Coordinates of all heavy atoms in Angstrom, one line a residue:
M1 N 14.1 3.1 -10.5 CA 12.9 2.7 -9.7 C 11.7 2.6 -10.6 O 11.3 3.4 -11.4 CB 12.6 3.8 -8.6 CG 11.2 3.8 -8.0 SD 11.0 2.6 -6.7 CE 12.0 3.3 -5.4
I2 N 11.1 1.4 -10.5 CA 9.8 1.2 -11.3 C 8.7 1.1 -10.2 O 8.8 0.3 -9.2 CB 9.9 -0.1 -12.0 CG1 11.0 0.0 -13.1 CG2 8.6 -0.5 -12.7 CD1 11.4 -1.4 -13.8
L3 N 7.7 1.8 -10.4 CA 6.6 1.8 -9.4 C 5.5 0.9 -10.0 O 5.2 0.9 -11.1 CB 6.0 3.3 -9.3 CG 6.9 4.3 -8.8 CD1 6.2 5.7 -8.8 CD2 7.4 4.0 -7.4
T4 N 4.9 0.1 -9.0 CA 3.9 -0.8 -9.4 C 2.7 -0.5 -8.5 O 2.8 0.0 -7.4 CB 4.3 -2.3 -9.2 OG1 4.6 -2.5 -7.8 CG2 5.5 -2.6 -10.0
P5 N 1.5 -0.7 -9.0 CA 0.3 -0.5 -8.2 C 0.4 -1.3 -6.9 O 0.8 -2.4 -6.9 CB -0.9 -0.9 -9.0 CG -0.4 -0.9 -10.5 CD 1.1 -1.2 -10.3
L6 N -0.1 -0.7 -5.8 CA -0.1 -1.4 -4.5 C -1.0 -2.6 -4.6 O -2.1 -2.5 -5.2 CB -0.7 -0.4 -3.5 CG -0.4 -0.8 -2.0 CD1 1.1 -0.9 -1.7 CD2 -1.0 0.3 -1.1
A7 N -0.6 -3.7 -4.1 CA -1.4 -4.9 -4.1 C -1.1 -5.7 -2.9 O 0.1 -5.7 -2.4 CB -1.1 -5.7 -5.4
F8 N -2.1 -6.3 -2.3 CA -1.8 -7.2 -1.2 C -2.9 -8.2 -1.2 O -4.0 -8.0 -1.7 CB -1.6 -6.6 0.1 CG -2.5 -5.4 0.4 CD1 -3.8 -5.7 0.9 CD2 -2.1 -4.1 0.3 CE1 -4.6 -4.6 1.2 CE2 -2.9 -3.1 0.6 CZ -4.2 -3.3 1.1
N9 N -2.7 -9.3 -0.5 CA -3.6 -10.5 -0.5 C -4.3 -10.5 0.9 O -3.8 -10.0 1.9 CB -2.9 -11.8 -0.7 CG -2.3 -11.9 -2.1 OD1 -2.6 -11.1 -3.0 ND2 -1.4 -12.8 -2.3
C10 N -5.5 -11.1 0.9 CA -6.3 -11.2 2.1 C -5.5 -12.0 3.2 O -4.9 -13.0 2.9 CB -7.5 -12.0 1.7 SG -8.5 -12.5 3.2
P11 N -5.4 -11.4 4.4 CA -4.6 -12.1 5.4 C -5.2 -13.4 5.9 O -4.6 -14.3 6.5 CB -4.5 -11.1 6.5 CG -5.6 -10.2 6.3 CD -5.9 -10.1 4.8
K12 N -6.5 -13.6 5.7 CA -7.2 -14.8 6.1 C -7.1 -16.0 5.1 O -6.8 -17.1 5.4 CB -8.7 -14.5 6.3 CG -8.9 -13.6 7.6 CD -9.9 -14.4 8.5 CE -9.9 -13.7 9.9 NZ -10.7 -12.5 10.0
C13 N -7.5 -15.6 3.8 CA -7.5 -16.7 2.8 C -6.5 -16.6 1.7 O -6.3 -17.5 0.9 CB -8.9 -16.8 2.2 SG -9.3 -15.5 1.1
G14 N -5.7 -15.5 1.7 CA -4.7 -15.4 0.7 C -5.1 -14.9 -0.6 O -4.3 -14.7 -1.6
S15 N -6.4 -14.6 -0.8 CA -6.9 -14.2 -2.1 C -6.4 -12.8 -2.5 O -6.3 -12.0 -1.6 CB -8.5 -14.2 -2.1 OG -9.0 -13.5 -3.3
A16 N -6.2 -12.6 -3.8 CA -5.8 -11.3 -4.2 C -7.0 -10.4 -4.6 O -6.9 -9.3 -5.1 CB -4.9 -11.4 -5.4
D17 N -8.2 -11.0 -4.4 CA -9.5 -10.4 -4.7 C -9.9 -9.4 -3.6 O -10.8 -9.7 -2.8 CB -10.5 -11.5 -4.9 CG -11.8 -11.0 -5.6 OD1 -11.8 -9.8 -6.0 OD2 -12.7 -11.8 -5.6
V18 N -9.1 -8.3 -3.5 CA -9.3 -7.4 -2.3 C -9.8 -6.1 -2.8 O -9.2 -5.5 -3.8 CB -7.9 -7.3 -1.6 CG1 -7.8 -6.1 -0.7 CG2 -7.6 -8.6 -0.8
F19 N -10.8 -5.5 -2.1 CA -11.3 -4.3 -2.5 C -11.2 -3.3 -1.4 O -11.3 -3.6 -0.2 CB -12.8 -4.4 -2.9 CG -13.0 -5.3 -4.0 CD1 -13.3 -6.6 -3.8 CD2 -12.9 -4.9 -5.3 CE1 -13.5 -7.5 -4.9 CE2 -13.1 -5.7 -6.4 CZ -13.4 -7.0 -6.1
Y20 N -11.0 -2.0 -1.8 CA -11.0 -0.9 -0.8 C -12.4 -0.3 -0.8 O -12.8 0.1 -1.9 CB -9.9 0.1 -1.2 CG -9.9 1.3 -0.3 CD1 -10.0 1.2 1.1 CD2 -9.7 2.6 -0.9 CE1 -9.9 2.3 1.9 CE2 -9.6 3.7 0.0 CZ -9.7 3.5 1.3 OH -9.7 4.6 2.2
S21 N -13.0 -0.3 0.3 CA -14.4 0.0 0.3 C -14.8 1.3 0.9 O -15.9 1.7 1.1 CB -15.2 -1.1 1.1 OG -14.6 -1.2 2.4
C22 N -13.7 2.1 1.4 CA -14.0 3.3 2.0 C -13.3 4.5 1.3 O -12.8 4.3 0.2 CB -13.7 3.2 3.5 SG -14.5 4.4 4.5
T23 N -13.1 5.6 2.0 CA -12.3 6.7 1.5 C -11.2 7.0 2.4 O -11.4 6.8 3.7 CB -13.2 7.9 1.2 OG1 -13.8 8.3 2.5 CG2 -14.3 7.7 0.2
P24 N -10.1 7.5 2.0 CA -8.9 7.7 2.9 C -9.3 8.8 4.0 O -8.7 8.7 5.0 CB -7.9 8.3 1.9 CG -8.2 7.7 0.6 CD -9.7 7.7 0.5
S25 N -10.3 9.6 3.8 CA -10.6 10.5 4.8 C -11.3 9.8 6.0 O -11.5 10.4 7.1 CB -11.5 11.7 4.3 OG -12.7 11.1 3.7
C26 N -11.8 8.6 5.7 CA -12.6 7.9 6.8 C -11.7 6.8 7.4 O -11.2 6.9 8.5 CB -13.8 7.3 6.2 SG -14.7 6.2 7.4
C27 N -11.4 5.7 6.6 CA -10.6 4.7 7.2 C -10.0 3.9 6.0 O -10.3 4.2 4.8 CB -11.4 3.7 8.1 SG -12.6 2.8 7.2
F28 N -9.2 3.0 6.3 CA -8.5 2.2 5.2 C -9.0 0.7 5.3 O -8.3 -0.2 5.0 CB -7.0 2.3 5.4 CG -6.4 3.6 4.9 CD1 -6.4 4.7 5.8 CD2 -6.1 3.8 3.6 CE1 -5.9 5.9 5.3 CE2 -5.7 5.0 3.1 CZ -5.6 6.0 4.0
N29 N -10.3 0.6 5.6 CA -10.8 -0.8 5.7 C -10.9 -1.4 4.3 O -11.5 -0.8 3.4 CB -12.2 -0.7 6.3 CG -12.6 -1.9 7.1 OD1 -11.7 -2.5 7.7 ND2 -13.8 -2.3 7.2
H30 N -10.4 -2.6 4.2 CA -10.5 -3.4 2.9 C -11.4 -4.6 3.2 O -11.5 -5.1 4.3 CB -9.1 -3.8 2.5 CG -8.3 -2.7 1.9 ND1 -7.9 -1.6 2.6 CD2 -7.8 -2.5 0.7 CE1 -7.2 -0.8 1.9 NE2 -7.1 -1.3 0.7
V31 N -12.0 -5.1 2.1 CA -12.8 -6.3 2.1 C -12.3 -7.3 1.1 O -11.9 -6.9 0.0 CB -14.3 -6.0 1.8 CG1 -15.2 -7.2 1.9 CG2 -14.8 -4.9 2.7
C32 N -12.3 -8.6 1.6 CA -11.9 -9.7 0.7 C -13.1 -10.1 -0.1 O -14.1 -10.4 0.5 CB -11.3 -10.8 1.5 SG -11.0 -12.3 0.5
G33 N -13.0 -10.2 -1.4 CA -14.1 -10.7 -2.2 C -14.4 -12.1 -2.2 O -15.4 -12.6 -2.6
Q34 N -13.4 -12.9 -1.6 CA -13.6 -14.4 -1.4 C -14.2 -14.8 -0.1 O -15.2 -15.5 -0.1 CB -12.2 -15.1 -1.6 CG -11.6 -14.9 -3.0 CD -12.5 -15.6 -4.1 OE1 -13.0 -16.7 -3.9 NE2 -12.7 -14.9 -5.1
C35 N -13.7 -14.3 1.0 CA -14.2 -14.8 2.3 C -14.8 -13.6 3.1 O -15.3 -13.8 4.2 CB -13.0 -15.4 3.1 SG -11.8 -14.2 3.7
Y36 N -14.8 -12.4 2.5 CA -15.5 -11.3 3.2 C -14.8 -10.9 4.5 O -15.4 -10.2 5.3 CB -17.0 -11.5 3.3 CG -17.6 -11.8 2.0 CD1 -18.1 -13.1 1.7 CD2 -17.7 -10.8 1.0 CE1 -18.6 -13.4 0.5 CE2 -18.3 -11.1 -0.2 CZ -18.7 -12.4 -0.5 OH -19.2 -12.7 -1.7
A37 N -13.6 -11.3 4.7 CA -12.8 -10.8 5.8 C -12.6 -9.3 5.6 O -12.5 -8.8 4.5 CB -11.5 -11.5 5.9
T38 N -12.6 -8.5 6.7 CA -12.2 -7.1 6.6 C -10.9 -6.9 7.3 O -10.6 -7.6 8.3 CB -13.2 -6.1 7.2 OG1 -13.4 -6.5 8.5 CG2 -14.6 -6.3 6.4
F39 N -10.1 -6.0 6.8 CA -8.8 -5.8 7.4 C -8.3 -4.4 7.0 O -8.8 -3.8 6.0 CB -7.7 -6.8 7.0 CG -7.7 -7.1 5.5 CD1 -6.8 -6.4 4.7 CD2 -8.6 -8.0 5.0 CE1 -6.8 -6.6 3.4 CE2 -8.5 -8.3 3.6 CZ -7.7 -7.5 2.8
E40 N -7.4 -3.8 7.8 CA -6.8 -2.6 7.6 C -5.3 -2.6 7.4 O -4.6 -3.3 8.3 CB -7.1 -1.6 8.7 CG -8.3 -0.7 8.4 CD -8.4 0.4 9.4 OE1 -7.6 1.3 9.5 OE2 -9.4 0.3 10.2
P41 N -4.8 -2.1 6.3 CA -3.3 -2.1 6.2 C -2.7 -1.0 7.1 O -3.2 0.1 7.2 CB -3.1 -1.8 4.7 CG -4.3 -1.0 4.3 CD -5.4 -1.5 5.2
R42 N -1.5 -1.3 7.6 CA -0.7 -0.4 8.3 C 0.7 -0.4 7.7 O 1.1 -1.4 7.2 CB -0.6 -0.8 9.8 CG -1.7 -0.3 10.7 CD -1.4 -0.6 12.1 NE -1.2 -2.0 12.4 CZ -0.1 -2.4 13.1 NH1 0.8 -1.6 13.6 NH2 0.0 -3.7 13.3
T43 N 1.4 0.7 7.8 CA 2.7 0.7 7.3 C 3.7 1.1 8.4 O 3.4 1.7 9.4 CB 2.9 1.7 6.1 OG1 2.5 3.0 6.6 CG2 2.0 1.3 4.9
A44 N 4.9 0.6 8.2 CA 6.0 1.0 9.1 C 7.2 1.6 8.3 O 7.5 1.0 7.2 CB 6.5 -0.2 9.9
R45 N 7.8 2.6 8.7 CA 8.8 3.2 7.9 C 10.1 2.5 8.2 O 10.5 2.2 9.3 CB 9.0 4.7 8.3 CG 10.0 5.4 7.4 CD 10.1 6.8 7.7 NE 11.3 7.3 7.1 CZ 12.2 8.1 7.7 NH1 12.0 8.6 8.9 NH2 13.3 8.5 7.0
V46 N 10.8 2.1 7.1 CA 12.0 1.3 7.2 C 13.2 2.0 6.6 O 14.3 1.6 6.7 CB 11.8 -0.1 6.6 CG1 10.9 -1.0 7.5 CG2 11.4 -0.1 5.2
G47 N 13.0 3.1 5.8 CA 14.1 3.7 5.2 C 13.6 4.9 4.4 O 12.5 5.4 4.5
E48 N 14.5 5.4 3.5 CA 14.3 6.6 2.8 C 14.8 6.3 1.4 O 15.9 5.8 1.2 CB 15.2 7.7 3.4 CG 15.0 9.1 2.9 CD 13.7 9.7 3.5 OE1 13.3 9.3 4.6 OE2 13.1 10.5 2.8
Y49 N 14.1 6.7 0.3 CA 14.6 6.6 -1.0 C 14.9 8.0 -1.5 O 14.1 8.9 -1.5 CB 13.5 5.9 -1.9 CG 13.9 5.7 -3.3 CD1 14.9 4.7 -3.5 CD2 13.5 6.4 -4.3 CE1 15.3 4.4 -4.8 CE2 13.9 6.2 -5.6 CZ 14.9 5.2 -5.8 OH 15.3 4.9 -7.1
K50 N 16.1 8.1 -2.1 CA 16.6 9.4 -2.5 C 16.7 9.5 -4.0 O 17.0 10.6 -4.5 CB 18.0 9.7 -1.9 CG 18.0 9.6 -0.4 CD 18.2 11.0 0.2 CE 18.5 10.9 1.7 NZ 17.3 11.4 2.5
G51 N 16.5 8.4 -4.7 CA 16.7 8.4 -6.1 C 15.5 8.9 -6.9 O 14.6 9.4 -6.3
E52 N 15.6 8.8 -8.2 CA 14.5 9.2 -9.0 C 13.4 8.2 -9.0 O 13.7 7.0 -9.0 CB 15.0 9.3 -10.5 CG 16.0 10.5 -10.7 CD 15.2 11.8 -10.8 OE1 14.2 11.9 -11.5 OE2 15.6 12.7 -10.0
T53 N 12.2 8.6 -9.0 CA 11.1 7.7 -9.1 C 10.6 7.8 -10.5 O 10.6 8.8 -11.1 CB 9.9 8.0 -8.1 OG1 9.5 9.4 -8.4 CG2 10.4 7.8 -6.7
G54 N 10.1 6.6 -11.0 CA 9.6 6.6 -12.4 C 8.2 7.1 -12.4 O 7.7 7.7 -11.4
P55 N 7.6 7.1 -13.6 CA 6.2 7.6 -13.7 C 5.2 6.7 -12.8 O 5.4 5.5 -12.6 CB 5.8 7.4 -15.1 CG 6.8 6.5 -15.7 CD 8.0 6.5 -14.8
R56 N 4.2 7.4 -12.2 CA 3.3 6.7 -11.4 C 2.3 5.9 -12.3 O 1.8 6.4 -13.2 CB 2.4 7.6 -10.6 CG 3.2 8.5 -9.7 CD 2.2 9.4 -8.9 NE 2.9 10.4 -8.2 CZ 2.4 11.2 -7.3 NH1 1.1 11.0 -6.9 NH2 3.1 12.1 -6.7
P57 N 2.1 4.6 -11.9 CA 1.1 3.8 -12.6 C -0.3 4.4 -12.4 O -0.5 5.1 -11.4 CB 1.2 2.4 -12.1 CG 1.9 2.5 -10.8 CD 2.7 3.8 -10.8
E58 N -1.2 4.1 -13.3 CA -2.5 4.5 -13.2 C -3.2 3.9 -11.9 O -3.0 2.7 -11.6 CB -3.3 3.8 -14.4 CG -4.5 4.4 -14.9 CD -4.4 5.9 -15.4 OE1 -3.4 6.2 -16.0 OE2 -5.4 6.6 -15.1
A59 N -3.8 4.7 -11.1 CA -4.4 4.3 -9.9 C -5.8 3.8 -10.1 O -6.6 4.4 -10.8 CB -4.3 5.4 -8.8
D60 N -6.1 2.7 -9.5 CA -7.5 2.1 -9.6 C -8.2 2.5 -8.3 O -7.7 2.2 -7.2 CB -7.4 0.6 -9.7 CG -8.7 0.0 -9.7 OD1 -9.7 0.6 -9.4 OD2 -8.8 -1.3 -9.8
S61 N -9.2 3.3 -8.3 CA -9.8 3.8 -7.1 C -10.4 2.8 -6.2 O -10.5 3.0 -5.0 CB -10.9 4.9 -7.5 OG -12.0 4.2 -8.2
A62 N -10.7 1.6 -6.8 CA -11.2 0.5 -5.9 C -10.1 -0.4 -5.5 O -10.3 -1.4 -4.8 CB -12.3 -0.3 -6.6
G63 N -8.9 -0.1 -6.0 CA -7.8 -1.0 -5.7 C -7.2 -0.8 -4.3 O -7.5 0.2 -3.6
P64 N -6.4 -1.7 -3.8 CA -5.9 -1.6 -2.4 C -5.1 -0.3 -2.2 O -4.4 0.2 -3.2 CB -4.9 -2.8 -2.3 CG -5.4 -3.7 -3.3 CD -6.0 -2.9 -4.5
T65 N -5.2 0.3 -1.1 CA -4.4 1.5 -0.8 C -4.0 1.4 0.7 O -4.6 0.6 1.5 CB -5.2 2.7 -1.2 OG1 -4.3 3.9 -1.0 CG2 -6.4 3.0 -0.3
A66 N -3.1 2.2 1.1 CA -2.6 2.2 2.5 C -2.0 3.6 2.9 O -1.5 4.3 1.9 CB -1.6 1.1 2.7
P67 N -2.1 4.0 4.1 CA -1.5 5.3 4.5 C 0.0 5.2 4.8 O 0.5 4.2 5.3 CB -2.3 5.6 5.8 CG -2.5 4.3 6.4 CD -2.7 3.3 5.2
C68 N 0.7 6.2 4.4 CA 2.1 6.3 4.8 C 2.3 6.5 6.3 O 1.6 7.3 6.9 CB 2.7 7.5 4.0 SG 4.4 7.9 4.5
A69 N 3.2 5.8 6.9 CA 3.4 5.8 8.3 C 4.0 7.2 8.7 O 3.9 7.6 9.8 CB 4.4 4.7 8.8
R70 N 4.6 7.9 7.8 CA 5.2 9.2 8.1 C 4.3 10.4 7.8 O 4.1 11.2 8.7 CB 6.6 9.4 7.5 CG 7.2 10.7 7.8 CD 8.7 10.8 7.5 NE 8.9 10.7 6.1 CZ 10.1 10.8 5.5 NH1 11.2 10.8 6.3 NH2 10.2 10.7 4.2
C71 N 3.9 10.5 6.5 CA 3.2 11.7 6.2 C 1.7 11.5 6.1 O 1.0 12.5 6.0 CB 3.8 12.3 4.9 SG 3.3 11.3 3.4
G72 N 1.2 10.3 6.2 CA -0.2 10.1 6.2 C -0.8 10.1 4.8 O -2.0 9.8 4.6
E73 N -0.1 10.4 3.8 CA -0.6 10.4 2.4 C -0.8 8.9 2.0 O -0.2 8.0 2.6 CB 0.4 11.0 1.4 CG 0.5 12.5 1.6 CD -0.8 13.2 1.1 OE1 -1.4 12.8 0.2 OE2 -1.2 14.2 1.8
H74 N -1.7 8.7 1.0 CA -1.9 7.4 0.5 C -1.4 7.2 -0.9 O -2.2 6.6 -1.7 CB -3.4 7.0 0.7 CG -4.3 8.1 0.3 ND1 -4.8 8.1 -1.0 CD2 -4.8 9.2 0.9 CE1 -5.6 9.2 -1.1 NE2 -5.6 9.9 0.0
S75 N -0.3 7.8 -1.2 CA 0.3 7.6 -2.5 C 1.4 6.6 -2.4 O 2.6 7.0 -2.6 CB 0.8 8.9 -3.1 OG 0.6 10.0 -2.2
L76 N 1.1 5.4 -2.1 CA 2.1 4.3 -1.9 C 2.1 3.4 -3.1 O 1.0 3.1 -3.7 CB 1.8 3.5 -0.7 CG 1.6 4.2 0.6 CD1 1.6 3.2 1.8 CD2 2.7 5.3 0.8
F77 N 3.3 3.0 -3.5 CA 3.4 2.1 -4.7 C 4.4 1.0 -4.3 O 5.3 1.2 -3.5 CB 3.9 2.8 -5.9 CG 2.9 3.8 -6.4 CD1 2.9 5.2 -6.1 CD2 1.9 3.4 -7.3 CE1 2.0 6.1 -6.5 CE2 0.9 4.3 -7.7 CZ 1.0 5.6 -7.4
G78 N 4.3 -0.1 -5.0 CA 5.3 -1.1 -4.9 C 6.5 -0.6 -5.6 O 6.4 0.2 -6.5
A79 N 7.7 -0.9 -5.1 CA 9.0 -0.4 -5.6 C 9.8 -1.5 -6.1 O 10.1 -2.5 -5.4 CB 9.7 0.3 -4.5
I80 N 10.2 -1.4 -7.4 CA 11.2 -2.3 -8.0 C 12.4 -1.6 -8.3 O 12.4 -0.7 -9.2 CB 10.6 -3.0 -9.3 CG1 9.3 -3.7 -8.9 CG2 11.6 -4.0 -9.9 CD1 8.5 -4.3 -10.2
D81 N 13.4 -1.8 -7.5 CA 14.7 -1.1 -7.6 C 15.8 -1.9 -7.0 O 15.5 -2.6 -6.0 CB 14.5 0.2 -6.9 CG 15.7 1.1 -7.2 OD1 16.8 1.0 -6.5 OD2 15.6 2.0 -8.0
E82 N 17.0 -1.9 -7.6 CA 18.0 -2.8 -7.1 C 18.5 -2.3 -5.7 O 19.1 -3.1 -5.0 CB 19.2 -2.8 -8.1 CG 19.9 -1.5 -8.3 CD 20.3 -1.3 -9.8 OE1 20.1 -2.2 -10.5 OE2 20.9 -0.3 -10.1
T83 N 18.2 -1.1 -5.3 CA 18.6 -0.6 -4.0 C 17.6 -0.9 -2.9 O 17.8 -0.6 -1.7 CB 19.0 0.8 -4.0 OG1 17.8 1.6 -4.2 CG2 20.1 1.2 -5.0
V84 N 16.4 -1.4 -3.3 CA 15.3 -1.5 -2.4 C 14.9 -3.0 -2.2 O 14.7 -3.7 -3.2 CB 14.0 -0.7 -2.9 CG1 12.8 -1.0 -2.0 CG2 14.3 0.7 -3.1
P85 N 15.0 -3.5 -1.0 CA 14.6 -4.9 -0.8 C 13.2 -5.2 -1.3 O 12.3 -4.4 -1.2 CB 14.7 -5.1 0.8 CG 15.5 -3.9 1.2 CD 15.3 -2.8 0.3
A86 N 13.0 -6.4 -1.8 CA 11.8 -6.8 -2.4 C 10.7 -6.7 -1.3 O 10.9 -7.0 -0.2 CB 11.8 -8.2 -2.9
G87 N 9.5 -6.3 -1.8 CA 8.4 -6.2 -0.9 C 8.2 -4.9 -0.2 O 7.2 -4.6 0.4
Q88 N 9.2 -4.0 -0.3 CA 9.0 -2.7 0.3 C 8.2 -1.7 -0.6 O 8.2 -1.9 -1.8 CB 10.4 -2.0 0.7 CG 11.1 -2.8 1.8 CD 12.3 -2.1 2.3 OE1 12.6 -1.0 1.9 NE2 12.9 -2.7 3.3
L89 N 7.6 -0.8 0.0 CA 6.7 0.2 -0.7 C 7.4 1.6 -0.6 O 8.1 1.9 0.3 CB 5.3 0.3 0.0 CG 4.6 -1.0 0.2 CD1 3.3 -0.7 0.9 CD2 4.3 -1.7 -1.1
L90 N 7.1 2.4 -1.6 CA 7.6 3.7 -1.6 C 6.4 4.7 -1.5 O 5.4 4.6 -2.2 CB 8.3 4.0 -2.9 CG 8.8 5.5 -3.0 CD1 10.0 5.8 -2.1 CD2 9.1 5.8 -4.5
C91 N 6.5 5.7 -0.6 CA 5.6 6.8 -0.6 C 6.1 7.9 -1.5 O 7.2 8.4 -1.3 CB 5.5 7.4 0.9 SG 4.5 8.9 0.9
V92 N 5.3 8.1 -2.6 CA 5.9 9.1 -3.6 C 5.7 10.6 -3.1 O 6.2 11.5 -3.6 CB 5.2 9.0 -5.0 CG1 5.6 7.7 -5.6 CG2 3.7 9.1 -4.9
S93 N 5.0 10.8 -2.0 CA 4.8 12.1 -1.4 C 6.1 12.5 -0.6 O 6.5 13.6 -0.7 CB 3.6 12.2 -0.5 OG 2.4 12.0 -1.2
C94 N 6.6 11.6 0.2 CA 7.7 12.0 1.1 C 9.0 11.2 0.9 O 10.0 11.5 1.5 CB 7.2 12.0 2.5 SG 7.0 10.4 3.2
G95 N 8.9 10.2 0.1 CA 10.1 9.4 -0.2 C 10.4 8.3 0.8 O 11.5 7.7 0.8
A96 N 9.5 8.1 1.8 CA 9.7 7.0 2.8 C 9.6 5.6 2.1 O 8.8 5.4 1.3 CB 8.7 7.2 3.9
L97 N 10.5 4.7 2.6 CA 10.3 3.3 2.2 C 9.6 2.7 3.4 O 9.9 2.9 4.5 CB 11.7 2.7 2.0 CG 12.4 3.1 0.7 CD1 13.8 2.6 0.7 CD2 11.6 2.5 -0.5
L98 N 8.6 1.8 3.0 CA 7.7 1.3 4.1 C 7.5 -0.2 3.9 O 7.6 -0.7 2.8 CB 6.3 2.0 3.9 CG 6.3 3.5 3.9 CD1 5.2 4.1 3.1 CD2 6.3 4.0 5.3
T99 N 7.2 -0.9 5.0 CA 6.7 -2.2 4.9 C 5.3 -2.2 5.3 O 4.8 -1.3 6.1 CB 7.5 -3.2 5.8 OG1 7.5 -2.7 7.2 CG2 8.9 -3.3 5.3
L100 N 4.5 -3.2 4.8 CA 3.1 -3.2 5.0 C 2.7 -4.4 6.0 O 3.3 -5.5 5.9 CB 2.4 -3.5 3.7 CG 0.9 -3.4 3.6 CD1 0.4 -2.0 3.5 CD2 0.4 -4.2 2.5
E101 N 1.8 -4.1 6.9 CA 1.2 -5.1 7.7 C -0.3 -5.0 7.6 O -0.8 -3.9 7.4 CB 1.6 -4.9 9.2 CG 3.0 -5.2 9.5 CD 3.3 -4.8 10.9 OE1 2.4 -4.8 11.8 OE2 4.5 -4.4 11.1
L102 N -0.9 -6.2 7.7 CA -2.4 -6.2 7.6 C -3.0 -6.6 9.0 O -2.6 -7.6 9.5 CB -2.9 -7.2 6.5 CG -2.3 -6.8 5.1 CD1 -2.7 -8.0 4.2 CD2 -2.9 -5.5 4.7
D103 N -3.9 -5.8 9.5 CA -4.5 -6.0 10.7 C -5.9 -6.6 10.4 O -6.7 -5.9 9.8 CB -4.8 -4.7 11.5 CG -3.7 -4.3 12.3 OD1 -2.7 -5.1 12.5 OD2 -3.7 -3.1 12.7
S104 N -6.2 -7.8 10.8 CA -7.5 -8.4 10.6 C -8.2 -8.6 11.9 O -7.5 -8.7 13.0 CB -7.5 -9.6 9.8 OG -6.8 -10.6 10.5
E105 N -9.5 -8.5 11.9 CA -10.2 -8.6 13.2 C -10.3 -10.1 13.6 O -10.5 -10.9 12.8 CB -11.7 -8.2 12.9 CG -11.8 -6.8 12.3 CD -11.9 -5.7 13.4 OE1 -12.7 -5.9 14.4 OE2 -11.2 -4.7 13.3
Ligands
ZN201 ZN1 -10.2 -13.7 2.2
ZN202 ZN1 4.9 9.7 3.1

């Protein structure tokens, strides 16, 4: 398992220039630096990862983040692993495999 920093694109314009503007204790509102759309990521649990996880990449505090659908922690990473379908995320707190959806207003 190779962990990659969480990343997602603006659901309105597709830009990767996305900032997390709040704190996890408040909300998960993100802002697009291109079109200023705001949106919140949601996750859905799709499985469980039982293998070894690699080292966590350096987290960028202004980078995209999302809450785990099961444990509520926000230690989610992109997962590159032959047993994990592309695009799924791993919660390193509880081992849940998740898919991400973006809710825009
Ligand atoms: Zn945008
Ligand atoms: Zn979790």
Side-chain angles (χ1 to χ4, degrees):
M1 164 79 71
I2 297 167
L3 299 176
T4 61
L6 195 58
F8 42 78
N9 295 347
C10 170
K12 288 235 165 82
C13 73
S15 169
D17 191 12
V18 163
F19 298 96
Y20 179 41
S21 57
C22 202
T23 58
S25 58
C26 176
C27 69
F28 285 89
N29 212 35
H30 286 62
V31 181
C32 172
Q34 292 298 314
C35 72
Y36 304 107
T38 60
F39 48 91
E40 260 188 73
R42 273 189 303 133
T43 57
R45 187 176 163 223
V46 290
E48 188 78 29
Y49 185 72
K50 304 251 191 249
E52 290 286 308
T53 56
R56 299 184 192 192
E58 202 63 36
D60 174 356
S61 61
T65 190
C68 173
R70 179 165 66 182
C71 72
E73 290 292 323
H74 45 93
S75 2
L76 307 190
F77 293 95
I80 301 174
D81 189 275
E82 62 217 0
T83 65
V84 176
Q88 291 190 4
L89 309 175
L90 175 75
C91 172
V92 295
S93 294
C94 71
L97 288 169
L98 306 153
T99 54
L100 185 83
E101 285 172 34
L102 299 174
D103 274 348
S104 62
E105 306 268 316

